[in-house]
Amino acid sequence: MGDSREFCPHLDSIGEVTKEDLLLKSKGTCQSCGAGGPNLWACLQVACPYVGCGESFADHSTIHAQAKKHNLTVNLTTFRVWCYACEKEVFLDQRLAAPPPAPPSKFSEQETPLPSHPLKAVPIAVADEGESESEDDDLKPRGLTGLKNLGNSCYMNAALQALSNCPPLTQFFLECGGLVRTDKKPALCKSYQKLVSEVWHKKRPSYVVPTSLSHGIKLVNPMFRGYAQQDTQEFLRCLMDQLHEELKEPVAAAGRDSDSSDSEEKREGDRSPSEDEFLSCDSSSDREPDNDAYMRCSSRPCSPVHHEAHSKLSSSPPRSSPVRVGPSYVLKKAQVLAAGKKKKELRYRSVISDIFDGSILSLVQCLTCDRVSTTVETFQDLSLPIPGKEDLAKLHSAIYQNVPAKSGTCGDSYTSQGWIAFIMEYIRRFVVSCIPSWFWGPVVTLEDCLAAFFAADELKGDNMYSCERCKKLRNGVKYCKVLRLPEILCIHLKRFRHEVMYSFKINSHVSFSLEGLDLQPFLAKECVSQITTYDLLSVICHHGTAGSGHYIAYCQNVINGQWYEFDDQYVTEVHETVVQNAEAYVLFYRKSSEEAVRERQHVVSLATMKEPSLLQFYISREWLNKFNTFAEPGPITNHTFLCSHGGIPPNKYHYIDDLVVILPQNVWEYLYNRFGGGPAVNHLYVCSVCQVEIEALAKRRRIEIDTFIKLNKAFQAEESPSVIYCISMQWFREWEAFVKGKDNDPPGPIDNSKIALIKGGGHIQVKQGADYGQISEETWTYLNTLYGGGPEIAIRQSIAQLQEPENLHGEQKIEAETRAV
């Protein structure tokens, strides 16, 4: 690259500085506000000892540099040097550290070398405060930090350790920390990020106290308050759902989503089980009986496959686009819908859905007309039954005969039984728990549990299928297959059963594979996943009874490949045979990725080639994290940091460094040719179209709320209005969220259907006890002109005075809702 002094004339202002001096300063705090590291900045001006915080706090380092005209500053975590005068990173003749693991903290359009971290062969190797990173450091095991028990919180600690040892998730929170941005309380993602950073720190303590995360989860779900023992699987669901909710971003819906339900249903009715095609529609569990083998579906909508819809960017921005913008916007790209148009339903994705989401194709066949009804359901974990002896024999018989297993093959066939049957079943289970497994029967394998889950169920008797072609109840058969495999497969074994009068735990040992769990037998023929085998990452175990017990986790360290037992604050290395004999409750499997490792090594070799590169390309940091940690990363998703016009949304441009990584041309071309997607980006600019839309949206919001307040104040000033109009508070709250900036999309048409009661002669009045607000005729006319909808509900003052007192709070509701505007 040549002498760095050619590029920065201010290097002469650097005083005498040694690595030991910087290491000592890195252990200090900001001299202005007292904030600690990481990412403190030290001034390099001669005789200036100042140390200040970075952008994550008040950015006192920048304030000091600008006020004192001290141009050069060094990051005490990465040892990268920034010049405020040149507005770029500069490089010292004598490097203070090895190539750092993070890109420059300030965005520059000058030539920037390829960051080393996205292409490391060894994942989960983080830069630590006060020390540079070497190859030996990369090979040292990290993540072996215990978690202090906060009072029966072993269920939480075991779950957190299992998640912490899922490399794609942990790598995201370590390498893509700048993407962890949320204004949603309680900001659990930030608490989890802090915990992961502490657990995987090179200078980790023996254990950490997860107080912040524990407090946050209790705010999300009151079930976890207090000090009672809880279920670790329920905690996992709650935590992952909240992380997704805080980190989610909208994605473009797949093309099929726009099809009308009527046309889908019409095409569906003509299917037969022999046809190769299948339908993709929303889950309709109310139309179909549930499979006995229960699947825990995600509470989120299915994350669609990313289809590239952006054209290739030009190498220069439009003339009207500024290179930088002054103010930082907090609004997303405006999507102003025409009045009267229904609010479109958005789909969302996050790092949680990218890693853990899979989908299952469920099929129900009518045995009379052979009509096949299909649904696609998203899952984040599979809740598998544990077959009993009799069930296992039937299951194996069905497998060996290559015919679908009929009802009763799953271990939950005892759901409808009388008191005598219940007592006999309870005695049998007690006897089974006292008799060695070799005496009672064959060992149950995880493959047996999967087979029981995916076995066909007969729908007959009280469980008959309502066939839409026959228009009556019919005997049917229900079965399901995996349509899309997740990167990490979470499996929950249904060991606990809770009834009104009793609870018990199934203590049967379930044998599971440490490597090579093959899901090929359970895939639908339409499944597009190329890798179908999984290796075990971690397993959560429960010791005790259904009423009490203790949770621990066994996890494989991703750096050294050894297995460790995590028992609250104690972490102990164990042999893999200990893991195989464990009483598994929740298991985390990861797609086998030997080929992916070789591919990453090839990309590293491309990145280190000495050939000059004519161009540099920007790539999504989040996708590059997928490439580093996923077996199948999918197409490049640069549209995550671009708007629909090909530029940078104004609200993202001020932290664009956190969203992108710069690659040389040869690396970009290889990744693009290998994975597709895109678009290719070699220049970043603020989108002027989005900027205009944001300003127009802000103006629209301001006009609507000001007009409403003016009209509502006039209405409240009237002593006895002759006519009062009613409006649904549900719709009003959606409109209020829009005009206050809490929701980017305007509400749909006014929907008073839930508060309206149609009397004889078509007269419409408000329902008794309905949740509605009272507004003036002028206010109704204004909102109805903007949004349309209805029906119009007007009540005369004389009628309103005769209503019950509890129903006269409509005006107060509107006033209370808008008081804080």
Side-chain angles (χ1 to χ4, degrees):
M1 184 173 178
D3 189 353
S4 61
R5 294 175 185 268
E6 296 175 8
F7 299 95
C8 178
H10 308 96
L11 288 175
D12 293 334
S13 63
I14 296 181
E16 194 77 26
V17 60
T18 65
K19 181 177 179 180
E20 289 70 24
D21 294 333
L22 297 182
L23 292 178
L24 184 62
K25 290 182 178 181
S26 69
K27 303 180 189 303
T29 58
C30 173
Q31 295 178 15
S32 296
C33 66
N39 290 320
L40 292 173
W41 293 79
C43 181
L44 293 179
Q45 186 74 18
V46 176
C48 182
Y50 185 82
V51 174
C53 58
E55 293 180 351
S56 58
F57 295 97
D59 202 4
H60 287 119
S61 59
T62 301
I63 296 174
H64 166 83
Q66 294 173 346
K68 300 291 186 180
K69 305 298 183 184
H70 293 178
N71 296 320
L72 291 167
T73 182
V74 59
N75 187 297
L76 295 177
T77 297
T78 65
F79 295 110
R80 286 194 158 181
V81 179
W82 179 262
C83 179
Y84 286 97
C86 297
E87 293 189 347
K88 68 178 182 180
E89 182 184 17
V90 297
F91 303 91
L92 304 181
D93 293 331
Q94 300 297 326
R95 295 297 179 91
L96 295 173
S105 60
K106 306 289 184 183
F107 178 77
S108 170
E109 297 199 9
Q110 303 293 330
E111 181 179 354
T112 307
L114 173 70
S116 60
H117 76 88
L119 304 176
K120 282 184 178 177
V122 180
I124 315 298
V126 294
D128 292 302
E129 181 183 340
E131 284 193 30
S132 62
E133 199 172 319
S134 66
E135 293 183 3
D136 292 338
D137 292 334
D138 286 345
L139 300 178
K140 293 179 181 178
R142 305 186 190 181
L144 305 181
T145 308
L147 298 176
K148 184 174 178 58
N149 193 307
L150 302 177
N152 268 338
S153 64
C154 59
Y155 69 92
M156 177 182 71
N157 292 344
L160 291 175
Q161 295 289 10
L163 281 182
S164 172
N165 283 276
C166 292
L169 186 64
T170 294
Q171 195 81 1
F172 170 84
F173 280 98
L174 293 177
E175 300 285 359
C176 305
L179 276 64
V180 183
R181 299 172 181 270
T182 183
D183 56 356
K184 299 178 182 178
K185 302 300 181 182
L188 205 62
C189 61
K190 293 186 179 293
S191 298
Y192 185 76
Q193 180 188 27
K194 180 176 181 292
L195 180 68
V196 168
S197 300
E198 292 175 344
V199 168
W200 287 89
H201 201 282
K202 183 167 60 179
K203 292 184 176 180
R204 67 184 188 279
S206 59
Y207 66 87
V208 297
V209 185
T211 307
S212 177
L213 193 140
S214 175
H215 178 69
I217 203 72
K218 291 176 181 178
L219 293 176
V220 173
N221 193 329
M223 176 179 67
F224 300 109
R225 296 173 185 173
Y227 298 95
Q229 183 65 272
Q230 302 293 341
D231 184 83
T232 190
Q233 196 253 353
E234 291 293 337
F235 173 83
L236 280 169
R237 278 274 56 75
C238 181
L239 173 62
M240 293 166 68
D241 284 348
Q242 182 65 21
L243 291 178
H244 169 84
E245 183 65 26
E246 294 180 358
L247 297 172
K248 70 181 182 182
E249 288 197 351
V251 294
R256 291 183 60 86
D257 292 346
S258 59
D259 294 345
S260 65
S261 57
D262 294 339
S263 61
E264 291 283 359
E265 197 64 34
K266 182 177 179 181
R267 293 165 59 190
E268 178 184 307
D270 297 331
R271 297 292 172 194
S272 67
S274 61
E275 292 181 83
D276 292 335
E277 295 178 86
F278 70 96
L279 290 172
S280 176
C281 57
D282 292 334
S283 172
S284 302
S285 56
D286 56 329
R287 286 175 18 192
E288 302 170 4
D290 291 335
N291 193 328
D292 284 342
Y294 173 67
M295 177 185 66
R296 169 63 75 112
C297 295
S298 167
S299 61
R300 300 181 285 280
C302 176
S303 298
V305 177
H306 298 293
H307 296 287
E308 187 52 55
H310 299 283
S311 59
K312 191 172 181 179
L313 277 177
S314 62
S315 59
S316 60
R319 291 182 180 273
S320 60
S321 297
V323 177
R324 278 284 191 177
V325 290
S328 60
Y329 292 87
V330 296
L331 299 175
K332 294 183 179 178
K333 185 177 78 67
Q335 295 175 331
V336 182
L337 305 182
K341 189 175 180 181
K342 281 198 174 289
K343 186 176 180 180
K344 68 177 182 179
E345 182 179 351
L346 291 177
R347 291 195 173 193
Y348 296 89
R349 59 151 294 277
S350 71
V351 64
I352 300 297
S353 61
D354 288 349
I355 294 174
F356 296 99
D357 271 12
S359 61
I360 278 185
L361 178 66
S362 298
L363 306 97
V364 179
Q365 181 182 0
C366 174
L367 296 182
T368 301
C369 68
D370 289 335
R371 177 185 184 273
V372 176
S373 173
T374 63
T375 58
V376 176
E377 299 172 293
T378 300
F379 71 89
Q380 282 201 340
D381 56 32
L382 296 178
S383 289
L384 307 183
I386 302 177
K389 178 184 176 183
E390 300 86 351
D391 300 331
L392 200 59
K394 293 179 183 179
L395 189 65
H396 286 178
S397 175
I399 294 174
Y400 297 147
Q401 295 174 13
N402 198 28
V403 297
K406 301 303 180 182
S407 61
T409 58
C410 300
D412 294 338
S413 56
Y414 47 76
T415 54
S416 57
Q417 52 187 352
W419 279 102
I420 297 178
F422 153 68
I423 295 173
M424 295 301 295
E425 176 70 11
Y426 191 84
I427 294 174
R428 187 188 74 81
R429 291 186 180 275
F430 176 77
V431 173
V432 169
S433 65
C434 300
I435 299 178
S437 59
W438 58 265
F439 180 84
W440 183 252
V443 174
V444 180
T445 67
L446 187 58
E447 288 78 1
D448 292 330
C449 299
L450 286 165
F453 179 90
F454 289 104
D457 292 321
E458 283 187 343
L459 306 177
K460 60 182 181 180
D462 293 338
N463 202 25
M464 291 179 72
Y465 166 59
S466 178
C467 178
E468 296 188 13
R469 174 179 288 175
C470 299
K471 303 299 181 183
K472 64 186 304 183
L473 293 175
R474 296 291 194 187
N475 289 338
V477 61
K478 180 179 181 179
Y479 50 99
C480 57
K481 294 288 185 180
V482 177
L483 188 61
R484 181 170 62 89
L485 288 169
E487 179 66 25
I488 289 184
L489 173 66
C490 179
I491 294 177
H492 162 235
L493 297 178
K494 298 166 67 175
R495 292 194 174 275
F496 299 101
R497 184 158 188 89
H498 302 283
E499 297 293 347
V500 177
M501 301 296 296
Y502 73 101
S503 298
F504 64 83
K505 176 185 175 184
I506 301 174
N507 291 307
S508 305
H509 176 70
V510 176
S511 175
F512 52 90
S513 305
L514 295 184
E515 295 179 347
L517 175 66
D518 192 3
L519 294 189
Q520 182 66 45
F522 313 110
L523 300 184
K525 57 181 176 293
E526 299 86 2
C527 181
V528 297
S529 301
Q530 299 296 316
I531 299 175
T532 63
T533 57
Y534 286 81
D535 300 332
L536 187 67
L537 285 174
S538 55
V539 54
I540 301 176
C541 305
H542 178 268
H543 302 304
T545 64
S548 63
H550 182 64
Y551 289 99
I552 64 170
Y554 294 103
C555 307
Q556 186 180 39
N557 186 271
V558 71
I559 297 178
N560 64 6
Q562 297 297 319
W563 285 91
Y564 293 86
E565 177 188 86
F566 292 84
D567 186 354
D568 288 332
Q569 60 262 46
Y570 303 104
V571 181
T572 309
E573 182 176 344
V574 296
H575 193 268
E576 62 181 28
T577 55
V578 176
V579 181
Q580 287 181 308
N581 292 324
E583 188 178 289
Y585 179 48
V586 180
L587 304 102
F588 286 86
Y589 278 91
R590 180 188 187 185
K591 280 184 179 178
S592 304
S593 57
E594 292 182 5
E595 182 179 348
V597 171
R598 290 193 296 269
E599 191 159 46
R600 286 193 286 269
Q601 292 172 343
H602 176 64
V603 171
V604 171
S605 66
L606 287 177
T608 56
M609 292 175 61
K610 300 300 182 181
E611 297 181 5
S613 177
L614 298 177
L615 291 175
Q616 291 179 324
F617 288 81
Y618 297 93
I619 194 169
S620 164
R621 182 182 298 276
E622 191 171 8
W623 184 88
L624 202 53
N625 181 66
K626 289 184 184 179
F627 173 75
N628 282 330
T629 54
F630 280 40
E632 295 179 292
I636 297 171
T637 54
N638 279 352
H639 58 266
T640 57
F641 64 84
L642 298 173
C643 69
S644 59
H645 312 107
I648 308 300
N651 65 303
K652 291 185 177 181
Y653 198 79
H654 68 286
Y655 61 93
I656 189 64
D657 297 334
D658 297 331
L659 306 180
V660 300
V661 171
I662 301 176
L663 297 179
Q665 185 173 355
N666 61 335
V667 176
W668 162 259
E669 289 177 348
Y670 174 82
L671 294 175
Y672 180 78
N673 293 331
R674 171 67 178 84
F675 296 102
V681 183
N682 57 24
H683 199 89
L684 299 178
Y685 60 91
V686 178
C687 179
S688 59
V689 178
C690 287
Q691 195 166 344
V692 170
E693 289 181 354
I694 288 175
E695 293 170 357
L697 180 62
K699 182 179 179 181
R700 173 184 173 178
R701 284 171 165 151
R702 186 171 61 253
I703 291 175
E704 287 191 25
I705 192 64
D706 289 348
T707 304
F708 174 84
I709 291 176
K710 178 182 177 181
L711 293 174
N712 200 49
K713 284 184 177 179
F715 174 57
Q716 294 171 12
E718 293 186 46
E719 292 185 3
S720 56
S722 58
V723 180
I724 298 174
Y725 281 75
C726 303
I727 191 167
S728 165
M729 287 303 296
Q730 179 178 346
W731 182 90
F732 179 83
R733 292 183 184 106
E734 291 180 4
W735 172 82
E736 187 184 26
F738 165 66
V739 295
K740 288 184 176 181
K742 297 178 181 179
D743 190 343
N744 288 333
D745 293 326
I750 298 173
D751 183 9
N752 277 348
S753 60
K754 294 182 179 180
I755 67 170
L757 182 63
I758 302 177
K759 291 287 189 176
H763 177 68
I764 302 176
Q765 67 181 51
V766 67
K767 285 182 180 178
Q768 187 79 10
D771 186 17
Y772 73 95
Q774 297 178 358
I775 57 177
S776 66
E777 181 178 5
E778 292 77 11
T779 306
W780 167 263
T781 302
Y782 176 71
L783 293 176
N784 188 256
T785 302
L786 290 177
Y787 295 98
E792 179 181 298
I793 307 175
I795 56 177
R796 300 291 173 181
Q797 181 67 12
S798 57
I799 299 176
Q801 291 174 352
L802 295 175
Q803 292 181 358
E804 294 295 327
E806 60 267 22
N807 296 326
L808 293 178
H809 302 314
E811 185 177 342
Q812 289 85 342
K813 285 182 179 179
I814 292 289
E815 184 181 359
E817 291 283 341
T818 58
R819 189 174 296 145
V821 175

